[in-house]
């Protein structure tokens, strides 16, 4: 046992004395030391129930003969952080979570880890830590929120943001807005659509790092407590068999994750997180792989914001294993890969039927023959940019229009709410990338305002920032290189015609190379005066197309 390095032998008597100070008995000290990384806090709705999940995991570990010890991970609520300075501190916590977990795990010689994330950056941050540490690990999340109910319809956080746009456009009353406010988010859990948190929790199942149901069992269901106990027991089996994260998260496992990303219609943030997690495994995920996989992977699910179905519906339809079994009818998954169940992917998904073809479309009747995410390239984004194709109106898959350029989210919001954006426009928001933000803020407020004002089928939005999984419409993010790194998005002027062809995977400014070169003469990117962790992050972070990982050079 790894923990014997700090608890066995005469030389470890001082360490054992400190373990006794924790109230541990000799019997407990002799058992494997299992770290439980709890993301519990009282400000994130998706994390307020994690104390119960943590207690259930502890029971499971103890039942199976381990000594469970809890330590914390921080978490930011993207929804609460949205639209102000706080959103600069969302993506950057991914690395804090990974780094602090590494520090705690190695400082205390844990034998294995149970990771309990839920909302956006905790899942990838802890997956990065698991890959980096490469000791036996398993994931169990806090679970998704139940859908809200407004005026007889299920609803969610994306509907809430769009309701603000509708109110500002005079389409709904203050009383109707208040009803959304009080009913859109009715329980604890990660917000109820296929947003970033749920996307990553579902993909954790696909990667093989979590048990069945991790991504879809609602937070308030007793099944979630049972799942946590099973995860606690399962970590002892993984420790005994010495199955480690990098044994599970292979290159084929990441290709499975990208395939299911396309089938499920996951958040575009997965295109930041999967490359970053793969990097920790020593695997390079090039964005072009996404288009190659998307080209032959049908999109089977339209959960919110793409449609009006929610995580609870996907759970009842059979969950992620049912979608995997459906998509594998086309032979698109590698199924001989080991997972935390101790079984292969093939064994896991065998017999997992699609219980509702309205929620999980059969492969014979998909929403589209290509995947839910597309990577576009052109002179506006030579290194690529990302769009959630499954949430784009058909008439906006190909669009050409004049640019309206803004150097911050706040400037863009003032123009949108002030009625300065009209049909046909292409809103460009720059200096919001990993370096330029810094922190790569999500642009949910602008996109929701555009949708809520009824412009979603005529206006596109392009940014070197990113989008919430709750975003829908022709919202194109992760433009690389970003403006702060000298990207061509920094050279765009008001009135430039931008041509977007999502099906052809292209995005271009209708400006000649000679004109762009002329504009670049004497031009320097805008620099922001930032301090503290933001300044350190901006100095180290790489571009979005590389997963916004931190450089070690």
């Amino acid at each position: 046992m790894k923990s014997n390095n700090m608890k066995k032998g005469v030389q470890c008597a001082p360490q054992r004395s400190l373990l006794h100070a924790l109230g541990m008995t000799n019997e407990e000290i002799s058992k494997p030391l299992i770290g439980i990384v709890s993301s519990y806090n009282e400000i994130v709705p998706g994390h307020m129930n994690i104390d119960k999940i943590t207690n259930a995991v502890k029971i499971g570990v103890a039942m199976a003969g381990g000594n469970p010890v809890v330590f914390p991970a921080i978490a930011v609520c993207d929804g609460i952080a949205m639209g102000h300075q706080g959103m600069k501190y969302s993506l950057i916590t991914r690395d804090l979570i990974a780094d602090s977990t590494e520090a705690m795990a190695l400082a205390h010689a844990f034998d294995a880890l149970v990771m309990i994330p839920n909302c956006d950056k905790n899942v990838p941050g802890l997956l990065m830590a698991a890959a980096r540490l490469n000791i036996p690990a398993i994931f169990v999340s806090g679970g998704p929120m139940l859908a809200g109910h407004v005026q007889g319809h299920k609803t969610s956080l994306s509907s809430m943001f769009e309701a603000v746009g509708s109110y500002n456009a005079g389409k709904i009353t203050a009383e109707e807005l208040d009803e959304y406010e009080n009913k859109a988010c009715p329980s604890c859990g990660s917000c109820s659509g296929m947003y970033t948190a749920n996307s990553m929790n579902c993909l954790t199942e696909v990667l093989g790092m979590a048990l069945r149901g991790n991504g879809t069992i609602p937070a308030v269901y007793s099944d979630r407590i049972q799942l946590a106990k099973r995860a606690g027991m399962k970590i002892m089996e993984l420790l005994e068999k010495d199955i480690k994260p990098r044994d599970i998260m292979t290159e084929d496992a990441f290709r499975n994750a990208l395939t299911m990303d396309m089938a499920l219609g996951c958040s575009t943030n997965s295109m930041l997180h999967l490359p970053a997690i793969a990097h920790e495994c020593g695997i390079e995920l090039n964005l072009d792989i996404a288009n190659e996989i998307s080209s032959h992977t049908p999109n089977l699910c339209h959960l919110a914001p793409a449609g009006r179905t929610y995580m609870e519906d996907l759970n009842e339809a059979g969950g992620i294993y049912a979608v995997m079994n459906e998509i594998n009818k086309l032979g698109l998954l590698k199924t001989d890969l080991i997972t935390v169940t101790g079984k292969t992917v093939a064994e896991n998904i065998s017999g997992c039927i699609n219980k509702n073809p309205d929620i999980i479309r059969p492969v014979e009747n998909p929403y589209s023959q290509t995947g839910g995410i597309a990577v576009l390239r052109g002179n506006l984004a030579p290194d690529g940019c990302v769009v959630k194709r499954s949430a784009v109106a058909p008439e906006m898959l190909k669009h050409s229009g004049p640019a309206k350029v803004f150097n911050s989210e706040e400037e863009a919001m003032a123009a949108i709410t002030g009625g300065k954006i009209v049909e046909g426009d292409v809103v460009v928001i720059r200096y919001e990338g990993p370096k330029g933000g810094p922190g790569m803020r999500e642009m949910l407020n602008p996109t929701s305002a555009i949708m809520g004002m009824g412009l979603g089928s005529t206006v596109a939005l392009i940014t070197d920032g990113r989008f919430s999984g709750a975003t829908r419409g022709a919202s194109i993010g992760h433009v690389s290189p970003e403006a702060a790194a000298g990207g061509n998005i920094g050279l765009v002027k008001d009135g430039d015609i931008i041509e977007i062809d999502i099906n052809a995977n292209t995005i271009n400014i209708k400006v000649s190379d000679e004109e762009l070169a002329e504009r670049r003469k004497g031009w320097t990117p805008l620099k922001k005066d930032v301090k503290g962790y933001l300044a350190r992050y901006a100095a180290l972070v790489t571009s979005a197309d590389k997963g916004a990982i931190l450089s070690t050079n």
Side-chain angles (χ1 to χ4, degrees), residues 105-388:
L106 293 180
H108 302 101
F110 286 105
D111 295 302
L113 297 171
V114 181
M115 309 291 203
I116 312 179
N118 207 23
C119 291
D120 296 8
K121 307 311 162 300
N122 289 74
V123 188
L126 290 178
L127 282 165
M128 290 165 66
R132 191 183 301 172
L133 291 162
N134 204 34
I135 61 175
I138 193 170
F139 280 66
V140 56
S141 76
M145 184 182 291
L146 295 176
H149 290 267
V150 176
Q151 298 174 5
H153 298 287
K154 285 185 177 182
T155 190
S156 61
L157 184 66
S158 53
S159 303
M160 178 69 251
F161 273 92
E162 290 179 18
V164 174
S166 296
Y167 173 75
N168 287 334
K171 293 178 179 291
I172 64 172
T173 65
E175 291 75 17
E176 288 172 313
L177 180 64
D178 185 66
E179 185 178 8
Y180 272 99
E181 180 179 332
N182 285 284
K183 293 182 177 179
C185 299
S187 73
C188 63
S190 48
C191 296
S192 56
M194 188 56 82
Y195 310 147
T196 304
N198 293 327
S199 294
M200 293 309 302
N201 281 320
C202 290
L203 293 180
T204 303
E205 279 191 61
V206 179
L207 282 168
M209 290 297 295
L211 300 178
R212 181 182 184 183
N214 179 67
T216 59
I217 297 172
V220 297
Y221 282 16
S222 297
D223 282 355
R224 176 65 54 178
I225 300 297
Q226 294 173 7
L227 179 71
K229 290 176 181 176
R230 289 196 296 273
M233 290 186 279
K234 185 61 70 172
I235 193 61
M236 300 307 297
E237 180 184 324
L238 293 170
L239 179 60
E240 180 184 356
K241 294 180 178 178
D242 196 31
I243 298 174
K244 301 185 181 77
R246 280 185 235 159
D247 300 326
I248 295 168
M249 290 192 287
T250 62
E251 185 170 352
D252 283 335
F254 281 102
R255 288 188 70 92
N256 282 353
L258 283 169
T259 298
M260 289 301 298
D261 192 328
M262 301 302 168
L264 290 164
C266 290
S267 164
T268 52
N269 280 314
S270 62
M271 293 294 102
L272 278 177
H273 299 322
L274 288 175
I277 300 160
H279 176 76
E280 296 288 351
C281 295
I283 298 165
E284 182 183 351
L285 276 192
N286 187 295
L287 285 184
D288 288 329
I289 299 173
N291 278 346
E292 179 255 310
I293 289 175
S294 178
S295 69
H296 57 252
T297 304
N299 176 228
L300 306 184
C301 298
H302 265 195
L303 282 81
R308 289 194 169 273
T309 54
Y310 300 86
M311 296 307 296
E312 62 196 62
D313 302 314
L314 180 57
N315 187 63
E316 293 303 317
I320 300 308
Y321 280 13
V323 186
M324 292 176 74
N325 203 24
E326 186 69 45
I327 207 73
N328 200 48
K329 291 177 182 178
L330 301 175
L332 296 180
L333 300 177
K334 286 285 288 184
T335 61
D336 59 346
L337 311 179
I338 194 66
T339 70
V340 292
T341 66
K343 300 177 181 178
T344 64
V345 172
E347 291 173 306
N348 288 343
I349 67 176
S350 177
C352 296
I353 63 170
N354 178 358
K355 299 177 182 178
N356 189 338
D358 292 330
I359 306 299
I360 305 170
R361 287 276 187 95
V363 291
E364 298 83 7
N365 181 35
Y367 282 102
S368 66
Q369 294 292 342
T370 53
I373 289 178
V375 175
L376 316 182
R377 291 185 188 271
N379 66 355
L380 182 59
D383 293 338
C385 56
V386 180
V387 63
K388 189 170 184 173

Side-chain angles (χ1 to χ4, degrees), residues 525-548:
L526 175 70
K527 291 191 180 297
K528 299 177 183 177
D529 182 21
V530 293
K531 295 179 174 63
Y533 182 47
L534 283 178
R536 294 198 300 277
Y537 183 85
L540 294 173
V541 71
T542 60
S543 65
D545 65 293
K546 293 179 173 61

Side-chain angles (χ1 to χ4, degrees), residues 382-383 430-437 464 479-491 520 523-527 538 541-546:
D383 293 338
R430 60 194 180 192
Y431 297 106
E432 291 286 5
K435 283 186 180 294
D464 53 9
V479 170
S480 301
E482 61 177 293
N488 285 345
I489 189 173
L491 304 176
R520 191 172 291 279
W523 170 79
T524 55
L526 175 70
K527 291 191 180 297
V541 71
T542 60
S543 65
D545 65 293
K546 293 179 173 61

Side-chain angles (χ1 to χ4, degrees), residues 84-98:
H84 60 96
Q85 180 77 2
M87 182 44 71
K88 294 180 184 289
Y89 288 89
S90 170
L91 178 62
I92 69 176
T93 64
R94 186 183 71 180
D95 296 278
L96 285 175
I97 292 161

Side-chain angles (χ1 to χ4, degrees), residues 27-40:
E27 291 80 2
E28 288 174 295
I29 293 172
S30 69
K31 294 177 179 179
L33 190 64
I34 310 301
I36 301 174
V37 189
S38 171
S39 300
Y40 169 77

